[in-house]
Amino acid sequence: MDQDVVSDYGSDFTVEEEEILSDLLQQTPAWPITGVGLVLKDIEDNEGPRGARIPRTYDRRQYLPGSRRNPVQKQATHFAVEMAVDAFATANVESHESRIRRSRYERSVSIEVPTEIPPGPAPPEEPDLRSPLERFRSMPKKALSVSDLVSPSWCELQYWFILTKHGKKRRTPAMKQGTAVHKTLEDEVHRTVAVDIKTKEDAWGLRIWNVIQGLRSLRETGTTRELEVWAVLDGQVVNGVIDELSYICPDRELETTEFDALSGPRPVPADQKSITDFLSPNGSQTLNQANFGASASTAQNSAEKASRIYITDVKTRNSSSVPKGASFRPTLMQLMLYHRLLSAMATSKVDPSVLFSRYELKANEPFTDAFIAQISEMFFDATRDPIQTGHLDPSPSSTPEIEQDTLSLLLDHNSLTQLWDLMIRELQSTFPHQDKSIGNVLKAEYRNASNGRIMGSKTFLYDRGTLDTYMDEEMKWWRGERPAVGVCVEEA
């Protein structure tokens, strides 16, 4: 093969590029140029475009002395011709094959953009060792409610999760349906009027005023609904709202059973006369006196029984079944707690200063003029229907304040302390025998959540011992004296 014709490296110039180079060389002056010569820049000396520079890697091969020289494949054949005539000029000349190789190389180059290093796991939060009472029901948060005390009765772990996530039970669609049913029932007894509230004292004044109106409605019509009650249990302020109070006993047979159990065989007093004593000449007089005493006692019991007020709680359900067993326990405890709170108010055992202090209220601060003006526009307009209510003689419970003008009544009781005193007098009129005026027969009524239709009911007796045991154990969890307990296997 003729080495002058074929090169191992191949030609770096096309025919056109060789002609251009020849023309450039012919423009060089014939005389020698001192200090300036033709400089052939190496590829590494090329500055390239003014922009982002992409580092390149070249395949450089080293040869041992005496070894056969192998051809070296360079990544590009790119050089500059620098000449000095009157000015310095440069020219970049590149072969066709070099342009193709450079183009392929540039298309294959990828720029690696540094990615952000994801943050490491956050340090674990320190466990909150406070009790549920301290975390969720201490100032400035709201006080305990009856719902707080009975909701954990089925599963404390579930209620603990609700408190830690939301702080309270969130309203579900089913609960909203139930609220609509309760509102419909309440509208049957009360007329609701919107009141613009300016201060916390006005808001609490409205709550106490609604209790007063509810008690009056109970005495005049035999029924009231949505009556708010308060008490201090185990050193904690507890509030609740009773769905319904009525003079109608929900289960006469159950009440008779309770009365018989309480009035079972009694021991004979030491001073009680025998039958022979009544056969003496003065026996007839003694017998009459004994009969009179028994009649007086029976009359007193009959009066207490006739004026008893009974508690009913209305539950709404989407299913047609009535709960039983463990699922009924929250309702059982709820009604018994209502009984205890109402008894505390009927016996004037609720210290209002504890409530006002707990809610940070100014008990002796006068109500705003706007509040008094709005309330004075409301009036007591309940009617009594003995046939429907079954309450045939409400007249003893009437008070002079009913006939008094509402504006004058509020001006005479123009603070929380004074309005509370008025509520106590209303309670004394409504519960003349204090807690004995409250019936021990409790009723849970179940209604359809969609249409309010009654599906069934359950009645049971108030049991002080059962409630005491439950409250003692439940308050241990609220105070953090024991961990939350889940559902028993038998009840799951």
Side-chain angles (χ1 to χ4, degrees), residues 266-319:
R266 299 178 182 179
V268 179
D271 59 346
Q272 181 173 331
K273 296 182 181 296
S274 65
I275 188 64
T276 57
D277 295 332
F278 292 106
L279 298 177
S280 63
N282 297 326
S284 58
Q285 183 180 0
T286 306
L287 183 60
N288 289 334
Q289 292 175 350
N291 288 336
F292 175 78
S295 300
S297 177
T298 303
Q300 182 180 359
N301 291 335
S302 299
E304 293 177 1
K305 187 175 180 180
S307 60
R308 281 183 179 176
I309 296 171
Y310 301 90
I311 301 173
T312 297
D313 188 64
V314 178
K315 299 293 184 184
T316 55
R317 292 174 63 85
N318 289 318
S319 63

Side-chain angles (χ1 to χ4, degrees), residues 396-408:
S397 64
S398 179
T399 59
E401 285 83 356
I402 295 179
E403 307 299 332
Q404 191 174 359
D405 178 71
T406 303
L407 178 60
S408 301

Side-chain angles (χ1 to χ4, degrees), residues 182-183 186 190 224-228 241-244:
H182 281 76
K183 185 64 173 64
E186 183 184 6
H190 305 296
T224 192
R225 296 185 187 274
E226 306 297 324
L227 187 81
E228 189 168 9
V241 179
I242 300 176
D243 287 343
E244 180 182 326

